[in-house]
Amino acid sequence: MKTGLVLEGGGMRGLYTIGVLDCLMDSQFMVDYVIGVSAGACNGVSYISGQRGRSLRVNTGYLGDERYVSLKSFLKTKSMFGMDFLFDEIPNRLEPFDYDAFFANPCEFTAGVTDVETGKPDYFDKSHFDHDCTVLRASSSIPVFSPIVHYRGGSYLDGGTSDPIPVKRALEDGCDRVIVVLTRDAGYVKRPESFRPVYRRMFRDYPAMVETLDHRHEAYNQTRADLHGLEKQGRAIVIAPEKPVEISRFEKNLKKLTALYKTGMTDAAKRLAALREFVSV
């Protein structure tokens, strides 16, 4: 039986996911396969490399650094998050990512991106991560708030745009059961994007991308419904905040972020016995 771990994105709401993953690492709980989009992909790689605490340091240790997330960064680079800082300076120098441990772990890894030409999801496995974080950069490039990332002849943006909770892909990749970590509460219903005039103008040369953004909320809500069905079948366990997460994807309030991280730790700890039984069946 193959167990998959599916990680939703959500920018700084990913502190919840980091708490869950650190708890799993503390308990030496490892799955067979991990797939994530955006912040979920970024946090998932540190879980596979066994670098407990790294994602927390990355997401909270540089909040006062304008290279991390700031309006100045947006005006200078067209990205709210400093992408060179996040995907070069941090993994290669400030908080080194352990590529050797990442590849040594037999756990599979897949990161989801969105092809701006087709508006469809695309996926990249471990072979694309040989001392290269370009795929993570692409998966984390939020439409409007980040520039398009070009990689191996393709043009990509945030994987959460086209496949916000990549459960279907995990099943297609052979997972018999999935553990899904969400950064929105169980009762959350996604609404249509509120900045349609902006992205319609920005992506006027990419009509398929506009179409995807127009229907993003429908894809998200349908995936949540499908996930509920998998839970009923006993093929999925969902770990999600009990209450709405009242922080933005660009949140810089350390107290709020730390509290969300601790909530993720607590929620995962409560589910550990159920998780162990889930994977033992």
Side-chain angles (χ1 to χ4, degrees):
M1 297 285 281
K2 182 176 178 179
T3 303
L5 178 62
V6 181
L7 307 175
E8 183 181 11
M12 301 306 280
R13 291 195 305 273
L15 265 294
Y16 180 83
T17 301
I18 295 170
V20 172
L21 296 180
D22 278 0
C23 178
L24 296 185
M25 281 189 272
D26 288 343
S27 304
Q28 298 183 323
F29 186 96
M30 181 57 60
V31 295
D32 306 301
Y33 169 101
V34 175
I35 185 169
V37 293
S38 195
C42 294
N43 297 327
V45 296
S46 292
Y47 167 72
I48 294 176
S49 66
Q51 291 178 273
R52 197 255 191 239
R54 178 179 180 271
S55 291
L56 179 62
R57 294 193 301 272
V58 168
N59 281 268
T60 61
Y62 303 94
L63 293 174
D65 193 322
E66 63 185 23
R67 295 174 298 172
Y68 182 76
V69 56
S70 67
L71 180 59
K72 184 175 181 179
S73 173
F74 182 71
L75 295 174
K76 183 178 180 180
T77 68
K78 296 183 180 179
S79 176
M80 283 293 292
F81 288 103
M83 302 307 252
D84 288 340
F85 185 66
L86 278 172
F87 299 106
D88 181 14
E89 184 72 14
I90 286 180
N92 294 323
R93 286 172 284 281
L94 298 177
E95 297 286 347
F97 177 63
D98 192 339
Y99 286 96
D100 291 338
F102 176 72
F103 282 106
N105 190 332
C107 177
E108 299 173 43
F109 178 72
T110 298
V113 299
T114 298
D115 186 323
V116 298
E117 297 283 355
T118 65
K120 302 296 183 183
D122 202 352
Y123 307 91
F124 295 99
D125 62 19
K126 268 188 175 181
S127 65
H128 294 266
F129 291 82
D130 187 10
H131 293 81
D132 186 353
C133 289
T134 304
V135 168
L136 291 180
R137 180 193 293 246
S139 186
S140 304
S141 292
I142 304 168
V144 177
F145 296 101
S146 298
I148 292 171
V149 174
H150 303 285
Y151 177 71
R152 296 194 177 185
S155 300
Y156 304 105
L157 282 171
D158 184 355
T161 304
S162 56
D163 192 5
I165 311 169
V167 174
K168 183 178 178 181
R169 179 67 184 198
L171 299 177
E172 290 174 350
D173 282 346
C175 292
D176 302 286
R177 54 205 174 194
V178 290
I179 299 164
V180 183
V181 182
L182 303 178
T183 58
R184 295 286 196 181
D185 64 281
Y188 177 75
V189 176
K190 193 169 185 61
R191 305 298 180 189
E193 300 291 350
S194 59
F195 51 97
R196 189 169 190 265
V198 178
Y199 69 70
R200 283 192 66 191
R201 182 173 66 254
M202 183 169 287
F203 298 117
R204 57 186 176 275
D205 294 330
Y206 303 99
M209 189 68 200
V210 173
E211 182 76 5
T212 295
L213 286 165
D214 282 346
H215 296 282
R216 183 181 186 180
H217 63 292
E218 296 171 359
Y220 184 90
N221 295 333
Q222 183 59 57
T223 302
R224 292 284 293 253
D226 293 342
L227 183 54
H228 182 62
L230 287 172
E231 285 184 280
K232 284 188 172 182
Q233 296 170 26
R235 298 185 64 193
I237 283 184
V238 176
I239 302 175
E242 294 181 2
K243 300 177 181 178
V245 177
E246 303 292 349
I247 67 170
S248 74
R249 65 177 65 186
F250 304 121
E251 185 64 62
K252 297 180 72 173
N253 185 305
L254 180 58
K255 185 176 180 180
K256 289 183 179 180
L257 294 173
T258 302
L260 184 59
Y261 167 79
K262 291 179 179 178
T263 298
M265 284 275 289
T266 300
D267 288 355
K270 290 177 180 177
R271 307 295 296 279
L272 273 174
L275 291 175
R276 294 195 187 283
E277 182 179 356
F278 182 65
V279 301
S280 67
V281 176

